[in-house]
Amino acid sequence: MAYDHQKGLFAEGRMVDRFESATALKILVGLVGLVIFSAISVIWGQLAGLAPIGEPGSVAANDFSAFWAAGRLGLSEPLAVLDPAKLAAVQNWPGTGTNTGSGTATHTGAATYFPFAYPPAWLMMMLPLGALPYAAAWPLFVVVGLTAFAASLWAALSSVPSARASLTLAAIAAPVMLFSFVEGQTPLLWLALVLAITTALFAGRPILAGLLCGLVAMKPQLAPLVAIAVVAYALPRPALRLTIPAAFVSYAAVCLLPLLHTGASYWVDWFGAVGDMASRIAVAENAWGAMLPWYAALRVAGIGHGLALALQGGVAVVIAAAIAWLWWRPHIPVFLRLAGLLVAVPLAAPSAWYYEALAFSTAAVFLAAARYDRTALRRLHLILIWALPGYLAPLGQVVPLPFVTAPLATLLLLNVLRDAKRGIASE
């Protein structure tokens, strides 16, 4: 398998060449326009039907309502954001008696509410949004997330300048992107942060990479593999070893400084809230079909919680070892490293949701850039993992999403590891 170590690309794939064409660019502009138009239509329609703040129906029934309500409540009562009754009172929209797609909606009295189970640093980021009206905060959150994601992806694709615009648009045009907008969830910001960290690493800026690493702690269940990748890449490279102490300093600051506002007891209450959410997910049959990893697939298949969780833990350990190897070894294409990490994170986390499949579609873009698509079967694989999560997410009760995403992502990660090994062997 021919590999150009100078460019960091394999030689056989052709998909990236097609991304360089003017026709591809026009098609992708149209697809992005469709996604954004759909998002604006949904968001505008929901905002137009909202009641005044404080009345039933004053916020939309989406995950962002938890962020906004926490920010609003956290301005004066930071510990109250982890209190179901108080958070539900701020969200204050009529209950329907059914779970949402993410399975995290819960009922307190007559009101359905979305819980907030995030560390204090994320609460601090939500405070400015809580100070705004909900109708302004939700669109602003979406715009900031999309801008950060597009900018970080653009920087990460600097080695393929002729296809950079099209590849960036392809990531934004992924069908699952619509759910990030409509749910007002975190994948855009989280992916932007991961890409910023890795781009700083690859550019030889260890202090910046380390300082950014601490921010990953705001999404704790998705942080371990990122930390493993960063340490594995920095340790064997003396010029990058400062990344590790910088990350420790940043992580300590992110964990401790917000306590000046929330108080130290926030962490105690937070662990309780996380445990409560994990307990509800374990019995939320309606939620498993909207998740991504093997745990959910096993639960839908009838495997008990304890065994499914143990098997998921075993999968996570194997994936962690694979990511450590992928990022430790020299002469592995940058895009293979990135794609492997992005595929692995939702696959290893037991509670990754459908909107986090944006990591899969972004990984597919990096693999296209790396010329991974040497055969028609591989090109089909990339198209499926880019498109299917977005199309299947609304059908989670009919076609359980993890039955598709877990096998597809596992096969993709195995192929990435095999290509990385072949690339090393071709030196």
Side-chain angles (χ1 to χ4, degrees), residues 106-388:
T106 268
H107 307 283
T108 300
T112 303
Y113 92 110
F114 287 80
F116 184 85
Y118 284 79
W122 184 253
L123 173 61
M124 299 303 291
M125 291 185 64
M126 295 301 102
L127 295 182
L129 293 176
L132 296 174
Y134 180 84
W138 180 13
L140 177 62
F141 183 77
V142 170
V143 169
V144 170
L146 178 59
T147 302
F149 174 72
S152 62
L153 186 59
W154 181 265
L157 291 168
S158 60
S159 63
V160 284
S162 57
R164 202 180 195 182
S166 293
L167 290 167
T168 301
L169 290 173
I172 297 172
V176 75
M177 180 69 75
L178 180 62
F179 294 102
S180 291
F181 296 153
V182 172
E183 291 293 341
Q185 259 291 348
T186 60
L188 286 166
L189 290 174
W190 180 81
L191 285 168
L193 179 59
V194 171
L195 294 179
I197 292 168
T198 53
T199 299
L201 266 184
F202 298 145
R205 304 180 67 182
I207 302 297
L208 176 60
L211 293 178
L212 290 172
C213 277
L215 298 177
V216 177
M218 290 183 293
K219 193 83 170 177
Q221 70 270 36
L222 303 181
L225 281 185
V226 177
I228 288 171
V230 169
V231 171
Y233 191 79
L235 268 182
R237 298 164 176 83
L240 297 177
R241 287 176 185 164
L242 280 176
T243 303
I244 298 171
F248 274 111
V249 170
S250 177
Y251 180 75
V254 166
C255 290
L256 297 177
L257 289 180
L259 301 185
L260 296 174
H261 177 70
T262 65
S265 60
Y266 186 98
W267 279 114
V268 177
D269 294 349
W270 177 76
F271 279 109
V274 170
D276 176 67
M277 180 173 288
S279 298
R280 288 191 286 106
I281 290 174
V283 297
E285 296 184 20
N286 291 337
W288 302 331
M291 297 171 70
L292 304 177
W294 283 107
Y295 168 82
L298 293 170
R299 295 295 276 138
V300 175
I303 304 300
H305 169 67
L307 179 56
L309 192 61
L311 292 172
Q312 177 67 39
V315 168
V317 170
V318 172
I319 288 175
I323 292 301
W325 176 86
L326 185 67
W327 283 72
W328 179 280
R329 293 300 301 266
H331 309 306
I332 290 178
V334 165
F335 293 151
L336 281 190
R337 296 186 200 270
L338 286 171
L341 178 61
L342 294 184
V343 169
V345 170
L347 195 58
S351 61
W353 299 95
Y354 59 96
Y355 43 77
E356 285 157 343
L358 187 61
F360 295 157
S361 57
T362 307
V365 167
F366 281 121
L367 289 175
R371 300 182 183 273
Y372 161 92
D373 56 305
R374 299 192 307 279
T375 66
L377 189 59
R378 284 195 169 203
R379 286 191 285 277
L380 176 62
H381 193 176
L382 291 186
I383 292 169
L384 290 178
I385 205 163
W386 177 85
L388 278 184

Side-chain angles (χ1 to χ4, degrees), residues 81-107:
V81 304
L82 302 174
D83 183 318
K86 292 184 178 179
L87 195 66
V90 177
Q91 293 178 28
N92 199 16
W93 58 274
T96 62
T98 61
N99 279 333
T100 64
S102 66
T104 56
T106 268
H107 307 283

